Amino acid sequence: MFRTSRHIGVFALLLSLAACGWVEVPFEGQGSYRPPATQSAEKEKAEQPKAIPGTVVVQKGDTVYAISRKHDVSVRGLIERNALKPPFHLKIGQRLYLPQGPVHVVQPGDTLYSVSRHYRTDVYTLAKTNNLKSPFTLTPGQRLKIPNSGNLTTASKNLDVPPRVNAEVTTKPKNKSTMRAKAEPRLNRKAIPKPAPRSSSRFAWPIKGRIISGFGTKRDGLRNDGINISAKRGAPVKAAENGVVAYSGNELRGFGNMILVKHSGGWITAYAHVEKILVKRGQKVTRGQSIASVGSSGGVVTPQLHFEIRRGMNPVNPNGFLKG
């Protein structure tokens, strides 16, 4: 799970579902005369669906995927909440209920980190969802909304079947023309190749730069399961060791574009916040091969690389396993 304490911010997402209004301007010399066109506009306004909290009304061009991204909910949750059926076509004016995550009632001794671990989410997303600010002190009885998001631990447990991003399905409507519609991300159950043997007992640095966030728990109670390295935007990110790409995508909220590389011996390396991904799932990579470029995707504002080394599911301090 990525938790970078220096870049946690609280963002408010303003979602407006209100219909467009109109302003009545009387004609010169006509007092408050209201022309027929205005009456028509008033009627059209009255026919607009009313905004209901926790719901969204489908607009022209909306897809399940687009709505999930706009409202920061999972595609699967949106589909299940509304009992949508393949190929998941939506109708203009259709009302969809947004999936609601569980609520945790804070108990004595709870911390933001312990709650995030219990629900298998990340501290960054949990703090953002609940508009929490440093030092993130919790009070017994406080109610926390649990985000509908995955994390690195969850992804690591499913390295052979990670979700595909921006999945598409091909459908044939009545006019027999072919169209593509965004659909629910599907699991790619094709097994990845076996990683090649490691070339060294230690991993290579994925990039040269200054460490701006180290491994471990921070003063504000947050924890970093890796290190964050400041670097120039566009600089090449290199594979730390021979391996095979187990995941490449941007589905884990707050982490931006990310790559997971599986190595022999049960080791995993993670590369997050990258700008451009140069490899795809199942592709074999060699130590020192360029696999991405430095960026600031996800929950950071400056160019950097978040890098993790994991032995199985457990994160280890990269400084003790990197060469040089």
Side-chain angles (χ1 to χ4, degrees), residues 275-295:
E275 184 171 76
K276 186 177 181 181
I277 295 176
L278 304 178
V279 291
K280 59 183 179 180
R281 181 177 183 274
Q283 180 176 339
K284 292 184 177 181
V285 295
T286 57
R287 182 187 180 105
Q289 177 182 340
S290 294
I291 59 175
S293 60
V294 171

Side-chain angles (χ1 to χ4, degrees), residues 15-307:
L15 304 178
S16 175
L17 301 178
C20 296
W22 49 267
V23 178
E24 177 183 344
V25 180
F27 286 106
E28 183 178 357
Q30 297 296 323
S32 59
Y33 169 73
R34 182 177 296 177
T38 302
Q39 296 175 6
S40 175
E42 185 178 33
K43 180 179 179 182
E44 181 179 347
K45 178 184 176 182
E47 293 176 350
Q48 290 288 336
K50 294 182 179 180
I52 300 177
T55 70
V56 60
V57 176
V58 177
Q59 306 296 321
K60 183 178 180 180
D62 278 348
T63 64
V64 171
Y65 178 74
I67 292 175
S68 73
R69 298 287 286 183
K70 180 178 180 180
H71 295 278
D72 204 20
V73 298
S74 70
V75 175
R76 183 181 298 277
L78 191 61
I79 291 173
E80 293 178 350
R81 180 72 173 82
N82 295 276
L84 302 178
K85 304 296 182 183
F88 310 110
H89 287 161
L90 302 178
K91 297 180 180 179
I92 296 176
Q94 179 180 355
R95 187 181 298 279
L96 297 178
Y97 292 88
L98 299 176
Q100 302 296 319
V103 174
H104 174 81
V105 179
V106 176
Q107 304 297 315
D110 279 353
T111 65
L112 198 65
Y113 175 67
S114 67
V115 174
S116 71
R117 296 289 284 186
H118 179 74
Y119 290 96
R120 294 187 176 181
T121 185
D122 64 280
V123 177
Y124 169 84
T125 305
L126 185 60
K128 177 183 174 182
T129 300
N130 292 278
N131 293 327
L132 300 180
K133 297 180 180 180
S134 180
F136 310 107
T137 302
L138 303 181
T139 304
Q142 181 179 355
R143 298 174 67 84
L144 296 178
K145 296 179 180 178
I146 305 302
N148 295 316
S149 64
N151 56 29
L152 178 57
T153 301
T154 302
S156 299
K157 289 182 179 179
N158 297 281
L159 287 179
D160 288 341
V161 287
R164 293 171 55 192
V165 183
N166 300 352
E168 294 184 343
V169 295
T170 303
T171 61
K172 293 184 178 181
K174 294 181 179 179
N175 60 7
K176 295 184 180 181
S177 62
T178 301
M179 61 182 297
R180 289 186 178 271
K182 295 292 182 183
E184 173 190 11
R186 298 176 177 177
L187 293 179
N188 185 348
R189 299 190 179 278
K190 183 178 179 181
I192 61 175
K194 183 179 180 180
R198 291 174 56 183
S199 63
S200 171
S201 60
R202 288 183 173 268
F203 292 91
W205 284 84
I207 196 167
K208 293 182 179 180
R210 179 172 58 92
I211 296 179
I212 55 178
S213 180
F215 178 88
T217 304
K218 308 302 176 182
R219 291 181 180 179
D220 53 15
L222 299 181
R223 177 183 172 84
N224 191 353
D225 280 348
I227 57 176
N228 287 55
I229 308 171
S230 176
K232 184 178 180 181
R233 185 182 301 277
V237 175
K238 299 181 179 180
E241 186 49 80
N242 299 335
V244 59
V245 178
Y247 175 83
S248 65
N250 60 358
E251 285 192 308
L252 304 187
R253 249 182 299 175
F255 312 139
N257 298 324
M258 183 184 74
I259 299 171
L260 297 180
V261 177
K262 189 174 183 179
H263 309 280
S264 64
W267 293 87
I268 300 167
T269 54
Y271 314 75
H273 301 316
V274 302
E275 184 171 76
K276 186 177 181 181
I277 295 176
L278 304 178
V279 291
K280 59 183 179 180
R281 181 177 183 274
Q283 180 176 339
K284 292 184 177 181
V285 295
T286 57
R287 182 187 180 105
Q289 177 182 340
S290 294
I291 59 175
S293 60
V294 171
S296 55
S297 60
V300 298
V301 295
T302 59
Q304 60 188 274
L305 174 71
H306 176 83
F307 176 69

